[in-house]
């Protein structure tokens, strides 16, 4: 297993006591940037992410990515001996990330006050469905609920169809990236104050922010946004269109100049001089007409010709990709958005690269997600100086694995 060698967070230790996606993704990002992340899992159940997503040869592939760059320690935090070992680890850590229901850490003797007793510089990041306080704090929190309550589902789907949920963990992913950002801000603040902090991140707020200014618009105007399928109320043409060879492409005309180029390309320059064509919102009111003009032109051509012609005139278009298309795309390949990672089970796995490129401290993928408890002995015996006999006794009682 390759050790941490470079990255802006090299030298920092993160304890990932979270489960499923939002917290683990935040810790994946921190680990990619060089932090020593120790994944804390229940010694019998493990993390639920081990059973999520596609499986190959009985192994969950998503686990291999979201738990990369993390050593794994199987430890039952609900048992006093497990909580005591966690406190000893917390004394050596910079960040703890947890996503249990409010009050759970407190019930286990791991309240923020106790953690800061053993380590005043510790940053505690708490990720929940609805936050640490408020009427909904005790509710079970899942991304689907946040996607529903944020306005995302209400605005997604065809105008005459039902609200539509995403086919992936959208709210969790946005919350995970938010938690990582909050952690970095707290680490920066600590360089000035010398003390840690408690960060409260919920699943609802980040995706509600991503959905946009709907609440402000309602408060100001009383208007409530509605579903428009793939169309936009801010510009047109903006939709997905089918090509002659059965592929789909997406067209965007957020800029006025782009809208003009598209209509010239599809053979309808006459509409450009219409008074209503001068603004995106007015063009959106004529979406039926513009969609017919653009859609008819695209339907008569293969995808390759459509993409080439749009590029030639400097208009905005993109193919609708499957995972296979993304893997085979020349830009994705040349910029290494996806990279092969050596793996002990599969030999090699294709994973999403580190989220951003940095010239001097780029971060790295050092190893994929590991088996449950793979690093328990090394962490407890070599680093916390527990005796082998103590660890064996704890393992027999299923407090560690």
């Amino acid at each position: 297993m390759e050790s941490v060698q470079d990255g802006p967070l090299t030298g920092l230790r993160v304890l990932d006591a979270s489960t499923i996606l939002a917290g683990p993704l935040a810790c994946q990002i921190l680990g990619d940037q060089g932090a020593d992340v120790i994944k804390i899992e229940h010694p019998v159940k493990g993390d639920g992410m081990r059973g999520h997503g596609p499986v190959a040869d009985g192994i969950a592939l998503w686990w291999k990515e979201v738990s990369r760059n993390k050593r794994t320690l199987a430890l039952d935090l609900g048992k006093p001996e497990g909580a005591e070992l966690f406190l000893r680890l917390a004394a050596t850590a910079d960040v703890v990330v947890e996503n249990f229901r409010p009050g759970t850490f407190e019930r286990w003797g791991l309240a923020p006050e106790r953690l800061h007793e053993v380590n005043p510089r510790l940053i505690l990041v708490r990720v929940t469905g609805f936050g640490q306080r408020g009427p909904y704090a005790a509710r079970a929190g899942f991304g689907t609920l946040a996607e529903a309550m944020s306005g995302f589902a209400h605005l997604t789907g065809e105008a005459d169809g039902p609200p539509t949920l995403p086919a992936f963990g959208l709210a969790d992913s946005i919350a995970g990236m938010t938690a990582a950002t909050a952690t970095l801000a707290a680490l920066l603040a600590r360089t000035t104050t010398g003390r840690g902090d408690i960060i409260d991140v919920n699943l609802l707020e980040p995706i509600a922010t991503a959905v946009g200014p709907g609440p402000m618009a309602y408060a100001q105007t009383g208007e409530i946004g509605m579903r428009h399928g793939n169309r936009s109320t801010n510009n047109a043409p903006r939709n997905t269109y089918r090509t002659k060879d059965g592929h789909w492409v997406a067209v965007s005309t957020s800029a006025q100049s782009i809208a003009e180029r598209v209509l010239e390309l599809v053979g309808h320059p006459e509409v450009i001089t219409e008074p209503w064509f001068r603004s995106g919102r007015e063009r959106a009111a004529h979406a039926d007409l513009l969609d017919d003009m653009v859609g008819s032109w695209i339907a008569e051509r293969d995808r390759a010709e459509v993409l080439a012609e749009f590029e030639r005139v400097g208009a905005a278009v993109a193919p609708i990709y499957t995972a296979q298309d993304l893997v085979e795309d020349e830009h994705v390949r040349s910029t290494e958005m996806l990279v092969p990672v050596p793996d002990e089970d599969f030999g090699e796995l294709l994973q999403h690269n580190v989220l951003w490129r940095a010239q001097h401290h780029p971060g790295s993928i050092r190893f994929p997600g590991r088996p449950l408890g793979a690093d328990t002995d090394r962490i407890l015996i070599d680093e916390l100086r527990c005796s082998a006999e103590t660890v064996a006794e704890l393992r027999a009682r299923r407090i560690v694995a």
Side-chain angles (χ1 to χ4, degrees):
M1 184 178 67
E2 187 179 343
S3 61
V4 177
Q5 295 180 347
D6 190 26
L9 301 185
T10 296
L12 296 179
R13 171 170 284 182
V14 176
L15 304 185
D16 178 5
S18 60
T19 61
I20 305 297
L21 184 54
L25 177 59
C27 294
Q28 175 200 319
I29 294 170
L30 301 176
D32 287 352
Q33 296 303 314
D36 172 26
V37 181
I38 298 177
K39 176 68 182 178
I40 311 294
E41 299 180 78
H42 191 278
V44 178
K45 302 174 185 177
D47 186 344
M49 279 300 294
R50 290 186 181 272
H52 266 56
V55 174
D57 297 336
I59 300 172
L61 297 176
W62 205 349
W63 170 264
K64 289 285 189 176
E65 180 163 294
V66 79
S67 293
R68 69 191 189 197
N69 295 332
K70 301 178 186 180
R71 296 189 290 160
T72 172
L73 167 63
L75 182 64
D76 188 346
L77 301 183
K79 300 290 179 60
E81 298 91 338
E84 181 60 32
L85 287 172
F86 186 83
L87 284 171
R88 290 176 60 185
L89 269 179
T92 73
D94 298 277
V95 178
V96 167
V97 178
E98 65 98 359
N99 69 339
F100 297 96
R101 288 198 196 190
T104 302
F105 250 39
E106 285 81 354
R107 189 169 69 251
W108 291 342
L110 300 173
E113 298 78 11
R114 182 70 180 109
L115 290 169
H116 281 147
E117 282 180 13
V118 302
N119 186 351
R121 290 173 54 83
L122 185 71
I123 295 163
L124 174 61
V125 182
R126 317 192 81 175
V127 184
T128 56
F130 300 100
Q132 295 294 317
R133 60 186 179 85
Y136 302 161
R139 290 185 179 181
F142 297 97
T144 298
L145 310 186
E147 289 147 8
M149 293 178 64
S150 65
F152 175 87
H154 172 74
L155 293 173
T156 304
E158 295 299 324
D160 58 352
T164 302
L165 295 167
F168 54 93
L170 179 62
D172 277 275
S173 296
I174 298 174
M177 295 176 189
T178 301
T181 303
T183 302
L184 296 176
L187 287 168
L188 179 61
R190 193 180 69 174
T191 63
T192 301
T193 66
R195 64 176 182 270
D197 207 341
I198 303 169
I199 308 296
D200 183 0
V201 176
N202 65 68
L203 298 185
L204 180 57
E205 275 188 275
I207 189 172
T209 298
V211 169
M216 179 170 61
Y218 168 72
Q220 196 69 25
T221 69
E223 295 180 2
I224 297 175
M226 298 302 293
R227 291 183 290 284
H228 300 281
N230 291 318
R231 289 178 174 176
S232 169
T233 58
N234 298 312
N235 63 82
R238 190 264 199 183
N239 213 324
T240 59
Y241 307 92
R242 194 169 190 175
T243 63
K244 182 180 179 181
D245 53 349
H247 294 289
W248 290 86
V249 297
V251 172
S252 175
T253 57
S254 297
Q256 180 69 23
S257 60
I258 298 296
E260 294 173 2
R261 292 172 195 169
V262 170
L263 270 298
E264 287 178 356
L265 173 65
V266 302
H268 290 281
E270 73 279 2
V271 299
I272 297 174
T273 59
E274 293 286 346
W276 54 262
F277 198 86
R278 296 172 186 169
S279 78
R281 291 191 69 86
E282 290 187 60
R283 292 199 310 274
H286 293 77
D288 286 341
L289 173 66
L290 296 175
D291 273 346
D292 182 65
M293 292 175 174
V294 175
S296 297
W297 185 90
I298 289 176
E300 296 173 353
R301 291 161 176 81
D302 289 346
R303 182 174 70 174
E305 181 183 354
V306 171
L307 298 178
E309 285 298 295
F310 267 73
E311 184 174 355
R312 180 181 64 81
V313 301
V317 68
I320 304 291
Y321 271 179
T322 65
Q324 178 182 351
D325 295 321
L326 194 65
V327 168
E328 296 174 353
D329 182 86
E330 62 178 353
H331 181 79
V332 172
R333 287 185 171 186
S334 66
T335 57
E336 297 184 311
M337 293 184 188
L338 299 170
V339 292
V341 178
D343 179 75
E344 59 188 55
D345 293 310
F346 297 101
E348 188 174 87
L349 287 170
L350 189 67
Q351 295 194 355
H352 296 97
N353 203 347
V354 175
L355 271 176
W356 59 86
R357 310 290 181 266
Q359 182 177 358
H360 299 298
H361 299 284
S364 63
I365 303 172
R366 299 176 295 281
F367 52 89
R370 291 167 57 71
L372 177 65
D375 304 288
T376 296
D377 285 353
R378 178 179 176 183
I379 294 169
L380 296 185
I381 297 174
D382 297 348
E383 298 179 20
L384 288 189
R385 302 301 180 187
C386 296
S387 68
E389 292 76 16
T390 296
V391 173
E393 190 266 336
L394 292 172
R395 184 169 281 122
R397 295 169 57 198
R398 293 190 171 185
I399 295 174
V400 305

